[in-house]
Amino acid sequence: MFNLTDCIGFITNTASKKIVDAFNARLRDNNITRVKWIALFFIGEEDHISQKELAQKMNANESSIARLLERMERDDLCIRERDTSDRRIIRISLTAKGAQLRAELLPLGQNFHEDATQGIAAEDLEIFKNVLEQMVANVTPKE
């Protein structure tokens, strides 16, 4: 008989919500959202990243990312510019203020990761990531 509380989708969704809520609470003290923090991370990792690539990395649709970037640009955290060789592509870079905020907030992510994974062996974390990747692959439609 099917039991929802044993269903991997329910278990991972519940765990994800609790982890996200805990991280959001830490970020709230720094007056930033988790989504903005993630965008700062990826834009800082790859300067001049395209809006499309950022959306893919953040697992979000491009229109949501466009609205996020409008707010970030308004807050002087990033700059959006048309690609010089293909005007359809929008490239994103951090401003000095955005880069400084990113540098200040990266330790929050590291500290949260350490808190969330304390007492878990590195080998177990690797198995956990591999199992999640396999489950995602199992449910992702084949092209």
Side-chain angles (χ1 to χ4, degrees):
M1 178 75 163
F2 178 77
N3 182 348
L4 181 62
T5 59
D6 289 335
C7 177
I8 200 67
F10 182 78
I11 293 167
T12 56
N13 186 57
T14 301
S16 178
K17 283 182 177 183
K18 289 181 180 188
I19 292 167
V20 164
D21 288 348
F23 191 50
N24 278 334
R26 291 196 189 184
L27 290 173
R28 203 172 301 119
D29 294 339
N30 291 277
N31 202 26
I32 192 163
T33 65
R34 180 181 59 85
V35 174
K36 199 177 280 186
W37 184 89
I38 293 169
L40 285 169
F41 175 83
F42 284 122
I43 298 167
E45 283 283 295
E46 186 179 335
D47 194 32
H48 293 80
I49 188 171
S50 75
Q51 187 169 306
K52 182 176 183 174
E53 291 167 324
L54 181 62
Q56 290 169 342
K57 287 181 180 283
M58 293 182 66
N59 197 28
N61 62 49
E62 285 189 65
S63 61
S64 295
I65 295 302
R67 289 189 301 275
L68 170 66
L69 292 172
E70 283 175 19
R71 293 188 302 274
M72 290 178 68
E73 202 169 31
R74 183 191 65 224
D75 295 340
D76 191 32
L77 299 176
C78 71
I79 298 168
R80 293 183 294 173
E81 299 173 306
R82 294 274 174 197
D83 188 283
T84 54
S85 60
D86 185 343
R87 304 279 301 152
R88 296 171 296 180
I89 299 172
I90 298 172
R91 299 275 176 199
I92 309 146
S93 299
L94 293 179
T95 61
K97 181 180 176 182
Q100 180 180 347
L101 181 60
R102 180 183 186 272
E104 290 170 9
L105 294 177
L106 278 178
L108 277 176
Q110 181 65 39
N111 292 339
F112 185 79
H113 172 77
E114 290 168 3
D115 290 347
T117 59
Q118 68 184 346
I120 303 171
E123 301 82 32
D124 291 340
L125 286 173
E126 195 61 34
I127 291 168
F128 173 72
K129 289 189 285 186
N130 291 337
V131 168
L132 283 178
E133 286 175 10
Q134 183 61 54
M135 286 190 294
V136 169
N138 289 346
V139 300
T140 300
K142 308 296 184 257
E143 293 181 13

